[in-house]
Each structure stands twice: as structure tokens, then as C-alpha cells.
Amino acid sequence: MSTNKPAITLLMCNFNNAHYLKKGIESVLNQTYKNFELLILDDCSTDESVEIIKEYVPKDERISFYQQKQNGGYGQAIYDAINLAKADYVGIIDPDDALVPDALEVMLTRLQEKPQLVGLYSQHWICDKDLNPVEICKTSTKIPEGISYLEYGKSAMTHFFVFNRLKFIENGNIDRTMRNALDQDWYYKVEEVGEIDFVEQPLYFYRISPTGISQGFKKSYITYRDHHIIKERALDRRKIFGKKRNEILGKSRSEVMYKKFNYLLSEKNPAFLIPLTECFFRSPVSTTQAILYKLKK
């Protein structure tokens, strides 16, 4: 590989994350592996994000900075960033998160050992609002042999995720019509074009905060709903129908309805009975257990 082409591009799509940006940017610039591009794309932030980013750009030639002409949302931003990347492989880092110092070194070493891979993911740290590690994510694990992530689910595939962007683009790039659960879209699409491996080592700091896109009853419901739609589209692409499709979507639908029930209940909307009834119809035992747990709390 030529020295003027980075081995990997880190994609950071930002909108109003000025408070967190510095830690995220510096976690990339301080990597033990040095041959990378950090591509930052700002989606028309209204806070001090652009000023902060511009402080770093002239200091490090590995940073590429782009600004959207109009706010198009995360889907459009990540779509554009994937197309703009210089490297064949890309990794995604959210602006309010960070990488461990040797994250790139570990991932690229595995990719060199297994050049047939089109995707690679690791374990990650669950952190508090100040990005202090609390625990290693319990769901992040290797997918069992002979089964796809689409079938297995269980949030096994997580940050830190690196993939071949050229293969990904051939499979349609990101679905720009979706706003939430877009990580699931790229997990499924990358899985469809080749082999994915797992690094059993936490390489990413994931922040849990009240402003996170997947937190809160309403946001949680919308995220699960969008994931269900993304799952349906993956099944369509793979031409999976009949019993297998119903099994995969049945469980997903139950999860969506339970999230909708929680959201409507939190809003004191009597319509919460509608999704609750469907939950009992689809999964009576697990729904009963979930309700009893909620009552105990």
C-alpha cells in the first residue's frame, strides 16, 4: 500500500456535539497506529462544533474536514462520509465516544492476518456520561458458526466496527431513509458481501447519556421500530420468506410493541393497551415476566 494512502479512514459525523468533540478527536489522533485518515463531516451544527474542529485541522494533515450545505440527518451524513473516505476500510466513531489507544493497531493487525475479511468488530466499554468505563458490553460476542447475525441478533455485533467500504457501496451503501438503528443496516449489508470476524477485546468507549439517540422511552421505541424495518429490508435482499422470515420478524415485532407500550405508558396515553395486548398475544410468558419485573421496580 502506498504511503500517501491511509490504511483506514475513521468517519466522525457530527451535529452539535461541541461538548464532547475534543476527547473523541484526540482519541483518534493519539492512536498507536499512525497511517489513518480522520474524516470529520459536520451536519450544519449550531453550537461551537465547527470552531473546535477547525482548531485541529491545520495541526494534523490526517484530518479531512467537510461541512454539509444543509442538515440532512445522520443517514445522509454517513452516506456522504463513506463516499468521501480515502481508504478502502473505514471505521465509525461517534463524536461523543472515543477509541482506546491501540484500537486501530489491533483491528488492522487482524485484517492483515485475515485479508479475506470484509468486516471486523470488537467488544466495547459501556461508559457513564463522562466517558468513564463502567463495564464491558455483555451482548457483544462472536456469532456462532453456521448462523448469520440477522438470525442470531442479540445485539452481538457492536462498536468498534470496521468494514470494507467499497464492498459496502456495491451493496447499496447506507439506507438514507432511516434515522435510527443505522448501525444495524451496515452490519447486515456487510454480512451479505463477505466474512466478518470478532475481536474479543474492548476497543471503544461508548457513552451512555440522557441525550443519546437511543435513550429515553420514545427514542428507544423509534430505534427498535426502525431496526425492525431495516431487518425486513435485509430479509427482502436475501430473499428469505416463509417460516424463517416469520420467526425472525415475530420476535422483532414483539420487541417493538413492548417499547411502544413503555413509551405510551410513560406519556400516560391509554393507547398503551393496544401494543400491550399484541405483546401478550405474541409472547405471553416473556411479556408477563417483563410486566412483573416492572411492577417490582
Side-chain angles (χ1 to χ4, degrees):
M1 182 175 294
S2 61
T3 55
N4 62 353
K5 181 176 180 179
I8 186 169
T9 295
L10 280 304
L11 307 177
M12 181 181 287
C13 295
N14 175 71
F15 177 70
N16 287 351
N17 283 285
H19 183 67
Y20 304 115
L21 268 172
K22 289 187 176 181
K23 185 169 286 189
I25 291 173
E26 289 175 7
S27 78
V28 177
L29 299 182
N30 293 327
Q31 287 291 300
T32 57
Y33 185 87
K34 304 300 182 184
N35 183 26
F36 62 81
E37 174 192 24
L38 171 57
L39 190 157
I40 307 174
L41 190 148
D42 186 79
D43 196 21
C44 301
S45 292
T46 56
D47 61 5
E48 295 77 32
S49 290
V50 172
E51 288 77 9
I52 292 172
I53 296 166
K54 285 184 175 179
E55 290 177 12
Y56 288 93
V57 174
K59 298 176 183 178
D60 200 311
E61 62 182 7
R62 297 172 298 179
I63 300 176
S64 301
F65 179 44
Y66 299 90
Q67 292 176 264
Q68 299 287 68
K69 292 181 180 179
Q70 61 182 21
N71 181 277
Y74 184 69
Q76 183 64 56
I78 198 68
Y79 178 95
D80 291 339
I82 288 170
N83 284 322
L84 289 166
K86 295 175 182 175
D88 294 347
Y89 278 88
V90 297
I92 296 173
I93 173 173
D94 292 332
D96 57 343
D97 297 334
L99 297 177
V100 303
D102 62 345
L104 296 186
E105 185 175 353
V106 171
M107 297 295 267
L108 287 164
T109 297
R110 179 68 61 86
L111 290 173
Q112 289 169 359
E113 293 171 349
K114 295 185 174 183
Q116 77 276 16
L117 295 177
V118 296
L120 182 64
Y121 66 103
S122 74
Q123 289 179 322
H124 67 266
W125 287 104
I126 300 293
C127 303
D128 63 19
K129 63 183 179 63
D130 298 314
L131 213 61
N132 297 309
V134 176
E135 63 177 350
I136 295 174
C137 178
K138 293 182 174 64
T139 66
S140 182
T141 185
K142 186 176 180 63
I143 311 298
E145 293 289 336
I147 187 171
S148 69
Y149 173 61
L150 180 59
E151 298 169 82
Y152 185 71
K154 301 180 182 180
S155 299
M157 209 173 284
T158 59
H159 298 294
F160 176 45
F161 190 68
V162 171
F163 59 94
N164 186 312
R165 73 179 183 93
L166 302 179
K167 295 285 187 181
F168 182 69
I169 290 171
E170 289 175 7
N171 200 26
N173 205 322
I174 203 74
D175 188 340
R176 290 173 287 177
T177 66
M178 307 303 297
R179 184 177 181 274
N180 300 279
L182 285 166
D183 53 345
Q184 303 303 316
D185 188 46
W186 63 65
Y187 295 154
Y188 295 143
K189 284 178 177 172
V190 173
E191 180 180 58
E192 288 162 14
V193 295
E195 183 181 345
I196 298 177
D197 200 8
F198 172 63
V199 173
E200 194 172 354
Q201 181 179 342
L203 301 177
Y204 190 98
F205 296 109
Y206 177 73
R207 187 192 306 266
I208 299 292
S209 65
T211 56
I213 198 168
S214 58
Q215 282 116 45
F217 287 121
K218 183 177 181 180
K219 289 179 180 178
S220 181
Y221 158 58
I222 292 172
T223 297
Y224 272 75
R225 180 200 65 193
D226 287 1
H227 185 190
H228 183 78
I229 295 170
I230 288 168
K231 194 173 288 187
E232 286 181 316
R233 292 175 181 175
L235 288 164
D236 289 341
R237 286 194 306 272
R238 302 183 193 194
K239 295 180 170 51
I240 296 175
F241 304 104
K243 182 180 178 182
K244 190 173 183 180
R245 181 188 184 95
N246 292 336
E247 288 175 352
I248 293 172
L249 290 182
K251 182 180 178 182
S252 176
R253 175 73 180 180
S254 296
E255 292 172 340
V256 173
M257 287 299 99
Y258 189 71
K259 294 294 181 180
K260 187 175 184 179
F261 155 67
N262 277 326
Y263 161 54
L264 293 176
L265 183 63
S266 71
E267 295 287 313
K268 298 180 180 179
N269 186 331
F272 76 83
L273 290 171
I274 298 172
L276 181 61
T277 300
E278 183 171 340
C279 286
F280 274 115
F281 175 76
R282 289 179 174 275
S283 307
V285 176
S286 59
T287 301
T288 301
Q289 291 172 340
I291 296 298
L292 290 174
Y293 178 74
K294 181 183 284 288
L295 292 173
K296 287 179 181 178
K297 291 179 67 177

